[in-house]
Amino acid sequence: MAQDQSGSSPSGETALENGDAGASLPLRRSGRARKRPSTHSEDADYENGPPATSPASADTRRNPKRRAAPDAFDVPDNLLEASLGPWKENEQAEWANWIELESDPAFFTAILGLLGVKGARIEEVLSVDEDTLATLPPPVHGLVFLYEYVAEESVGATETSRDVWFANQTTHNACATIALLNIIMNAEGLSLGEKLRKFKQESKDLAPPLRGHMINNSTWIRTAHNSFARRLDLLDAALCLQNEVDKKKKRAKSAAAKQKKKNPKREKAKADKSGGSSAYHFIAFVPVGQQVWQLDGLTSTPVCIGEYEKDQPWTSVMRPVLQERMMRYETERLSFSLLALCGDNLAHARQKLAANIRSLADLDARFTTNPDWQSKTNRATVIHSPTDPRLTAYQLDADDIRAPAAAALNLWTQLVTEQARILAEYDYEAKMGMSNSGGQEPTAAALLGRTRDYTAAVHEWVGKLAGHGVLRRLREKVQLGVAS
C-alpha cells in the first residue's frame, strides 16, 4: 500500500542523514526487533524495514526539539538541502526501499520493459463497459486497479490454487509492482526476459509470503520500480513514514485503541477516512484457466471472482465487480483508476527495427577499422549497437539483435534511411493507439527525460540568483508594478 500525503511525492520507508547538500543518504532503523504481523493487513507494508547501516557521524547536526521522534529515524535539520543534492553513483540502485508510483500508463509500460517483458504495454481504461474494453489491444493479460483504501469484505470465494501464481506484499509501497508481477507470472504467451523466467522458475513452489520476500530482496526488481524516483522522494519517504509511526504510537496510547479492539474493521475504516492523508493501493485482476481472480498483496490468499466460458471474454466476469466498486467509490467520493496490461500493435515495427539495427551493428563491426568508414558514417544519431540505451524505449535488448552477415557502406546509407521511416511509423502507431484509448503517450525522448533529475541544478541556480540579489530586484519590480 502507498500513502498519499496532500498531493506529495511518493513515500517509502527510509530516513535521511548527513546534512551536507551533496551527501549520500544512508538508511537507519531501530535496533529493536519488530514483531511479524499474523495476517497481511495494512501493517504488512511495514513488515520488512530497511537494512541497518553504519551509524551517523558524531558531527551530524540534530535539532534537540526532535528528540521525541521515533528511534527508527535520525533526521538532520537540513533535510531539504540534503534531498536537493545530486544522485551519488549507484545510490538509486542501492536505496533499499520502494517509492510510491503514479498511476501513469507510460511509467508502467517503461517498468515492464525494465523488468524484461516484451510485446506488451499498459493502457489506461477510462470505462469498464463492453465497447471500451473491446478496443484494448489483444490479448488483455490483466487489469491493475488503484483505489483509495478502505477496509472491506471479500468480494468472492477465498481459496488457494496451485495454478495461480500469487505473491504477498511484504514491504511498504511495493503494491504496484506486486500487482504487475501477479499478472505477469500468470499470463499465457507473454514474452519474458531471462531474469523474469529465472525468477518465475525459482518462485513457483514458494508460499505467497516467501514470494513477496523474494521480490523485496530482488535488487533489479526494486531498481525497475524506482526507475522514475527523484532524490527529493527520499525526503518525502522519510517524513511520510515518520508521520505514520507517530500516528501509530499515538493511537496505541489513546483510549480509542481499547475501543478499536472490539471492532477493528469498523474502527480501521474510520481511522483511514478521518486521517490527514489517504492510503492508495494497487490490486490485480487476472484470468487463470477459465476463472477470474482478484490478487491483492495484502490478503493471505487469492479471491476467485467467477468462471467464464471459452467463447466469452474474461473481462465480462470481472466487469460487474469493478462497476459496483466504482459506483460505490464515486458515491463516497473516493479516488480510483484502472490500467490494463495488454498486447500492442507495434510488434511488426519492433521486428523490423531489430533487423535494421542488427544489420547496422554487423556492418559497423566489419568495417570499424576502415578510416573511410569512420569518416563517412553518421554514428551519433543512429542506433547501431546492441548495447544502445535507447533500445529499452522500443522494448528491445541485446538478445533481440544478433549480427548476421551483411554487406557494405552503401547498405548503411539505405538502412539509415529505412530506420528513420520505421521510427516515424512506430511513433505514429504508438500515438494512434493511445488516441484510441483516450490518452496521450509521451515520445521516447520525453520518457527518457523523465528519468533525469534536474532538481539539484535548479536549486543551485536559484541560490546563485538569490545570492546576487536578482530575486530581490525582481520582487521590487513586481511590487512597484502592483502599486502603480
Side-chain angles (χ1 to χ4, degrees):
M1 183 178 298
Q3 289 289 336
D4 179 53
Q5 196 169 34
S6 302
S8 65
S9 298
S11 59
E13 190 170 345
T14 183
L16 307 184
E17 292 193 56
N18 198 327
D20 297 333
S24 61
L25 304 176
L27 304 176
R28 189 174 175 88
R29 62 170 291 179
S30 170
R32 296 181 302 171
R34 295 183 180 179
K35 293 183 179 180
R36 183 183 184 92
S38 57
T39 59
H40 289 275
S41 63
E42 181 184 12
D43 292 334
D45 289 342
Y46 303 93
E47 180 178 340
N48 288 340
T53 59
S54 58
S57 60
D59 59 351
T60 301
R61 292 173 293 173
R62 298 180 178 85
N63 188 339
K65 294 182 180 179
R66 292 185 177 176
R67 290 177 180 173
D71 55 7
F73 306 98
D74 190 4
V75 184
D77 290 335
N78 52 351
L79 277 172
L80 185 59
E81 289 294 331
S83 66
L84 291 176
W87 284 107
K88 299 299 181 181
E89 184 178 1
N90 297 326
E91 183 181 0
Q92 189 177 30
E94 293 172 358
W95 189 44
N97 296 280
W98 304 65
I99 68 164
E100 178 182 311
L101 282 183
E102 303 172 35
S103 183
D104 188 313
F107 293 174
F108 273 70
T109 298
I111 291 172
L112 278 181
L114 293 173
L115 290 174
V117 178
K118 302 176 183 178
R121 63 182 298 117
I122 298 293
E123 296 267 0
E124 185 172 12
V125 183
L126 302 179
S127 173
V128 292
D129 63 82
E130 185 175 355
D131 293 337
T132 300
L133 293 174
T135 62
L136 294 172
V140 180
H141 298 291
L143 295 173
V144 178
F145 185 55
L146 171 68
Y147 66 101
E148 191 170 346
Y149 183 83
V150 291
E152 56 186 20
E153 298 296 331
S154 175
V155 296
T158 301
E159 55 186 279
T160 301
S161 172
R162 293 186 59 85
D163 296 330
V164 179
W165 192 99
F166 173 64
N168 286 134
Q169 179 184 342
T170 61
T171 190
H172 192 50
N173 281 342
C175 55
T177 294
I178 294 292
L180 276 180
L181 289 172
N182 277 336
I183 296 175
I184 293 170
M185 295 292 108
N186 288 296
E188 295 184 2
L190 192 60
S191 178
L192 307 181
E194 181 181 355
K195 285 185 176 180
L196 269 182
R197 291 195 300 269
K198 183 179 179 181
F199 178 87
K200 184 175 183 178
Q201 178 65 25
E202 292 177 347
S203 63
K204 66 177 183 178
D205 296 325
L206 297 180
L210 293 179
R211 288 173 179 158
H213 185 69
M214 188 175 175
I215 293 171
N216 188 32
N217 290 332
S218 298
T219 301
W220 62 278
I221 296 179
R222 186 179 68 248
T223 301
H225 177 101
N226 293 334
S227 57
F228 294 102
R230 291 178 176 174
R231 207 162 189 261
L232 189 60
D233 297 337
L234 273 68
L235 167 64
D236 293 317
L239 294 180
C240 288
L241 187 59
Q242 180 172 330
N243 290 337
E244 284 299 308
V245 174
D246 287 340
K247 287 194 296 183
K248 288 180 180 291
K249 284 192 173 184
K250 289 179 181 178
R251 290 173 186 171
K253 294 179 180 179
S254 66
K258 297 179 181 180
Q259 181 65 25
K260 191 163 31 178
K261 294 179 180 178
K262 298 180 180 179
N263 193 339
K265 287 186 177 180
R266 179 171 58 84
E267 295 296 334
K268 186 63 179 176
K270 288 182 179 179
D272 287 338
K273 291 183 178 180
S274 62
S277 62
S278 299
Y280 290 87
H281 185 50
F282 289 96
I283 62 174
F285 292 91
V286 62
V288 179
Q290 297 304 124
Q291 295 177 315
V292 180
W293 295 81
Q294 175 181 300
L295 306 182
D296 181 351
L298 295 184
T299 62
S300 58
T301 58
V303 174
C304 183
I305 300 298
E307 298 185 359
Y308 64 100
E309 302 295 333
K310 291 184 177 180
D311 58 346
Q312 68 175 141
W314 70 269
T315 51
S316 61
V317 176
M318 172 276 312
R319 189 186 310 119
V321 176
L322 273 183
Q323 284 177 331
E324 188 276 331
R325 293 183 70 165
M326 288 179 175
M327 291 179 62
R328 172 156 45 92
Y329 293 156
E330 286 181 348
T331 303
E332 299 177 5
R333 297 184 179 181
L334 301 178
S335 302
F336 58 86
S337 69
L338 186 64
L339 303 174
L341 197 166
C342 51
D344 62 17
N345 52 4
L346 304 173
H348 183 58
R350 190 178 296 110
Q351 291 173 359
K352 291 194 294 183
L353 180 59
N356 177 280
I357 299 173
R358 186 182 308 131
S359 298
L360 293 175
D362 182 72
L363 284 173
D364 200 39
R366 289 172 181 267
F367 295 95
T368 187
T369 58
N370 189 311
D372 292 336
W373 182 265
Q374 294 290 339
S375 62
K376 294 181 180 179
T377 54
N378 183 4
R379 315 163 73 79
T381 59
V382 178
I383 303 176
H384 60 90
S385 170
T387 59
D388 195 305
R390 289 173 290 180
L391 289 176
T392 57
Y394 301 98
Q395 296 190 25
L396 295 174
D397 55 33
D399 292 337
D400 299 313
I401 302 170
R402 303 182 184 278
L409 182 59
N410 289 336
L411 182 58
W412 173 278
T413 304
Q414 297 173 11
L415 291 173
V416 168
T417 303
E418 181 186 3
Q419 184 178 122
R421 180 182 59 79
I422 294 173
L423 293 178
E425 178 184 343
Y426 189 102
D427 291 338
Y428 175 79
E429 291 290 340
K431 291 178 181 178
M432 289 297 295
M434 290 303 296
S435 175
N436 292 337
S437 64
Q440 281 187 329
E441 181 181 10
T443 63
L447 191 59
L448 184 63
R450 179 62 172 80
T451 64
R452 303 289 189 260
D453 188 357
Y454 302 103
T455 308
V458 173
H459 177 68
E460 182 71 16
W461 177 61
V462 173
K464 296 288 187 183
L465 291 178
H468 287 81
V470 176
L471 300 183
R472 177 178 53 79
R473 291 194 295 271
L474 289 175
R475 179 187 176 189
E476 291 173 352
K477 287 182 179 180
V478 172
Q479 290 176 334
L480 289 175
V482 172
S484 60

